[in-house]
Amino acid sequence: MEGRGSGSWEHLERLHEIFRCLHEELRAGPERLRGSQAVEEKKKLIREFDEKQREAHETLREMEDELKYAPVSFNNQMMAKIRIYKRDLATFQRKMKSIDLGVTPGVRRDPKFGIFSTENEQSTQVQSQRVLLLQGTDYSLNRASQNIERSHQIAAETDQIGSEIIEELGEQREQLERTKGRLVNTSENLSKSRKILRSMSRRLMTNKLLLSVIILELAILGGVVYYKFFT
């Protein structure tokens, strides 16, 4: 059941198991009633049958609701079983109606659920409401469990994404540190180059000054030679 998850599948399985138990008890109901002799015992068996009949119909209704989210192939297969189950319930009900109770006072037949004692209608309704409440509580707990499971899954995915981001940031930090190291080395090389250029510039100036002095000395020497030999 892809739409609702494993929790909904387990809920449907529990409903199916509950119905199978009710089905067996309802199947045995007519024989138990037929074999009973005491009036009060017959009334009790009829009340129990009607309560289980109500619970069985409600369980089938819940199963039909759950099957709305099931795959089509599984839905069709299960709906066929539910139709058979409904026919079985109708058969069990007809068998109960066909049994001669031997009691007329305080007993009537209900067109939907069969025979039950008027004096115990209120207690039967309370019991039915209790069953529905318990089933609703179980369904709510299953839904809550599914929500918690989804929250845990989202939290795990978020944690994984966070870990991947942290790992990626760590790699980027290493790259930036390597880049910073290369920039530092480049800055040091530039500083060395500037020192070399300044040293070469000073040497060039010194060489120019020496060359000027030498030229000046040669000019003076030439003037002295010219003065001595040509004057």
Side-chain angles (χ1 to χ4, degrees):
M1 299 177 65
E2 300 174 355
R4 299 283 295 278
S6 60
S8 183
W9 172 268
E10 293 173 358
H11 182 57
L12 180 59
E13 286 295 320
R14 281 196 294 272
L15 290 174
H16 198 187
E17 184 64 29
I18 289 171
F19 180 82
R20 283 195 291 263
C21 294
L22 292 170
H23 186 275
E24 292 301 319
E25 294 178 1
L26 290 169
R27 182 197 301 273
E31 291 300 325
R32 292 176 61 191
L33 181 62
R34 192 175 291 111
S36 176
Q37 299 298 328
V39 174
E40 290 302 324
E41 184 179 356
K42 289 182 178 181
K43 290 181 179 181
K44 179 181 177 182
L45 290 174
I46 291 170
R47 287 197 304 270
E48 291 177 353
F49 180 87
D50 289 333
E51 290 172 3
K52 289 181 174 61
Q53 185 88 336
R54 294 169 191 269
E55 187 176 350
H57 279 289
E58 181 62 26
T59 302
L60 288 179
R61 187 191 64 77
E62 284 197 41
M63 290 173 64
E64 289 175 337
D65 290 341
E66 289 296 323
L67 285 173
K68 294 177 182 177
Y69 305 96
V72 176
S73 58
F74 180 80
N75 186 307
N76 294 337
Q77 179 183 0
M78 201 65 192
M79 287 301 295
K81 288 185 178 181
I82 289 176
R83 285 192 291 270
I84 295 173
Y85 289 154
K86 288 182 177 180
R87 287 198 295 268
D88 290 346
L89 294 180
T91 301
F92 301 153
Q93 183 177 331
R94 286 194 299 270
K95 288 181 178 180
M96 288 291 289
K97 287 181 178 181
S98 66
I99 297 173
D100 185 10
L101 300 178
V103 278
T104 51
V107 176
R108 68 182 178 89
R109 295 177 182 270
D110 183 272
K112 183 177 181 181
F113 297 108
I115 314 165
F116 59 94
S117 175
T118 305
E119 60 190 11
N120 289 293
E121 285 186 21
Q122 185 175 1
S123 62
T124 301
Q125 292 175 357
V126 171
Q127 180 67 19
S128 177
Q129 291 175 358
R130 177 175 175 272
V131 171
L132 294 177
L133 179 60
L134 290 175
Q135 291 180 349
T137 302
D138 184 58
Y139 181 74
S140 299
L141 289 174
N142 286 329
R143 293 293 299 274
S145 299
Q146 293 174 25
N147 292 334
I148 292 173
E149 183 179 353
R150 285 196 293 269
S151 298
H152 287 168
Q153 183 178 0
I154 293 172
E157 293 175 353
T158 303
D159 183 65
Q160 182 179 358
I161 294 173
S163 299
E164 293 175 354
I165 292 175
I166 291 174
E167 183 178 355
E168 184 177 355
L169 290 175
E171 293 176 356
Q172 292 180 357
R173 178 182 177 183
E174 292 178 358
Q175 293 176 357
L176 289 174
E177 288 180 349
R178 288 195 295 269
T179 303
K180 180 181 178 182
R182 287 195 294 269
L183 289 175
V184 170
N185 293 332
T186 302
S187 178
E188 292 177 353
N189 293 333
L190 289 175
S191 298
K192 291 178 181 179
S193 299
R194 283 195 293 270
K195 290 180 181 179
I196 292 171
L197 289 174
R198 284 196 294 270
S199 176
M200 291 176 64
S201 177
R202 286 195 296 270
R203 289 179 183 178
L204 181 61
M205 293 298 295
T206 302
N207 291 336
K208 286 183 177 180
L209 181 60
L210 290 175
L211 182 60
S212 299
V213 171
I214 292 171
I215 293 172
L216 180 60
E217 290 179 350
L218 289 174
I220 295 172
L221 181 60
V224 171
V225 171
Y226 180 81
Y227 179 76
K228 286 185 175 181
F229 292 98
F230 295 101
T231 57

